[in-house]
Amino acid sequence: MNSNAPTHDAPAHDVCAVGNAIVDVLSPCTPEFLTEKGLAPGSMQLVDEDQSATLYAAMAAGVEASGGSAGNTVAGIGSLGGRPAYIGKVADDQLGQVFSHDIRAAGVAFDTPVLKDGAGTGRCLINVTPDGQRTMCTFLGAANQLAPEDVDLARVADSAIVYLEGYLFDPAPARAAFEAAADAAHKAGRKVAITLSDTFVVARWRTELLAFLDSSTDIVFANEAEACALFETDDVEAATRALAEKVEVVAVTHGPKGSVLVRGGERADIAAEPVEKVIDTTGAGDQYAAGVLFGLARGLPLETCGRLGAIAAAEVIAHWGPRPMTSLKDLAGAAGIRL
């Protein structure tokens, strides 16, 4: 099997991502704050609007930044000089305007119709401990209302890879949109990638995720905990092999220990890029995916794809916020990778 970009005429987009359109609110906190609020360190949980408002009121002063896992990834692809697109739902409110402005400013094509009536734009409250670890409480809001009719099938078909956010497995309408996008991509001869997103997502939807990998997926991103949870094992190497038997390309991240990419009989072990000080790990996996997806869409060698992922992840953990603040294309060039 071949994981390179499809052999059609050059698509308009390298990657079209489908995800939860979220604005992140990032604040520093102590481990004691997490204990007091009953939050598991490093986790992501869904909360309702009232819970979100209560936690927000208790959090320290922080910063707001457009986020959402797949949104962060396509922003990274834009920073690499790629041609990304995004499908996600925001409300007709201030946060929705912030999200729309930010993603377009990152060079991403985004024109999903806004939600006129109903919940506000989704937001993720991220408490960051001094070691840079983030604990997330997400109110999906309008993002939860993404539906199949919001999927621009022509845009999906004109993208080398469609990238699906595992968090969309939670709400049924969004999962239907997810499946519509995957179907449109494959009908056009394109590739479908998915990120497993979170161990809690894997725990809730393990059977369905495994079925989706078998039927509809070419490329999978997971961290070691997610990969192990999917196959109910403590052996990350065994989990990686099991994933590689299901799909064309597997990328498993190991935090500061780097990552592993497998494509058939080919394997690339990628070292993490050095970082002077880890400030905030929010967006690390998202930016890693940006580098790898960009490389795959452009048909670059597997090791180069992994290096681009490592460079992008290192950039984002060195500052607050989930999206690049320095041109990833320039950083890749400085590392000897010509894009």
Side-chain angles (χ1 to χ4, degrees):
M1 289 188 290
N2 186 343
S3 70
N4 290 349
T7 56
H8 292 253
D9 293 338
H13 303 291
D14 296 300
V15 176
C16 178
V18 185
N20 283 323
I22 301 286
V23 176
D24 291 336
V25 180
L26 300 110
S27 298
C29 78
T30 62
E32 292 75 20
F33 178 84
L34 299 179
T35 302
E36 178 189 328
K37 298 302 176 187
L39 302 175
S43 67
M44 194 292 286
Q45 67 184 69
L46 298 177
V47 296
D48 62 27
E49 195 157 12
D50 288 343
Q51 290 171 313
S52 177
T54 300
L55 179 59
Y56 179 76
M59 287 167 59
V63 297
E64 291 182 351
S66 293
S69 175
N72 295 336
T73 294
V74 287
I77 291 167
S79 185
L80 284 161
R83 303 181 306 270
Y86 182 74
I87 295 169
K89 200 78 168 174
V90 297
D92 188 15
D93 59 14
Q94 184 177 351
L95 287 181
Q97 292 167 8
V98 168
F99 182 93
S100 300
H101 171 271
D102 288 353
I103 201 162
R104 290 172 183 144
V108 181
F110 173 57
D111 51 18
T112 308
V114 300
L115 183 67
K116 292 290 187 182
D117 299 300
T121 295
R123 73 286 315 253
C124 182
L125 306 181
I126 306 176
N127 284 284
V128 184
T129 44
D131 60 357
Q133 185 182 60
R134 76 265 193 257
T135 301
M136 301 180 286
C137 292
T138 303
F139 167 59
L140 290 172
N144 210 18
Q145 304 304 310
L146 185 72
E149 55 268 27
D150 292 313
V151 176
D152 185 336
L153 300 179
R155 194 183 290 285
V156 167
D158 208 7
S159 302
I161 300 170
V162 62
Y163 178 61
L164 306 172
E165 188 179 301
Y167 289 127
L168 289 173
F169 254 74
D170 278 310
R175 195 193 307 180
F178 190 104
E179 292 166 346
D183 183 60
H186 279 149
K187 283 180 177 174
R190 309 303 189 183
K191 300 297 184 184
V192 174
I194 183 174
T195 172
L196 297 185
S197 294
D198 188 273
T199 53
F200 293 94
V201 171
V202 175
R204 284 192 291 270
W205 304 110
R206 179 176 175 273
T207 300
E208 292 85 351
L209 279 167
L210 286 168
F212 190 80
L213 295 186
D214 285 332
S215 67
S216 304
T217 308
D218 305 296
I219 303 161
V220 174
F221 291 86
N223 63 29
E224 53 190 4
E226 293 155 4
C228 288
L230 187 66
F231 294 101
E232 297 181 324
T233 177
D234 293 328
D235 185 342
V236 68
E237 284 294 325
T240 302
R241 289 194 299 271
L243 275 174
E245 290 173 1
K246 288 183 170 292
V247 300
E248 292 182 13
V249 182
V250 174
V252 178
T253 57
H254 300 276
K257 298 191 296 287
S259 66
V260 173
L261 289 89
V262 181
R263 177 169 57 196
E266 182 184 6
R267 175 178 171 127
D269 289 272
I270 308 297
E273 290 287 310
V275 178
E276 188 172 321
K277 179 175 173 55
V278 175
I279 301 298
D280 170 25
T281 58
T282 307
D286 304 335
Q287 296 310 321
Y288 174 82
V292 173
L293 287 168
F294 175 85
L296 292 174
R298 297 294 176 96
L300 300 179
L302 198 63
E303 183 167 347
T304 304
C305 296
R307 284 194 65 207
L308 288 173
I311 289 166
E315 190 283 339
V316 83
I317 65 175
H319 59 74
W320 282 87
R323 297 184 180 180
M325 292 184 176
T326 302
S327 165
L328 297 182
K329 184 175 183 179
D330 289 350
L331 292 176
I337 304 174
R338 296 178 63 86
L339 301 180

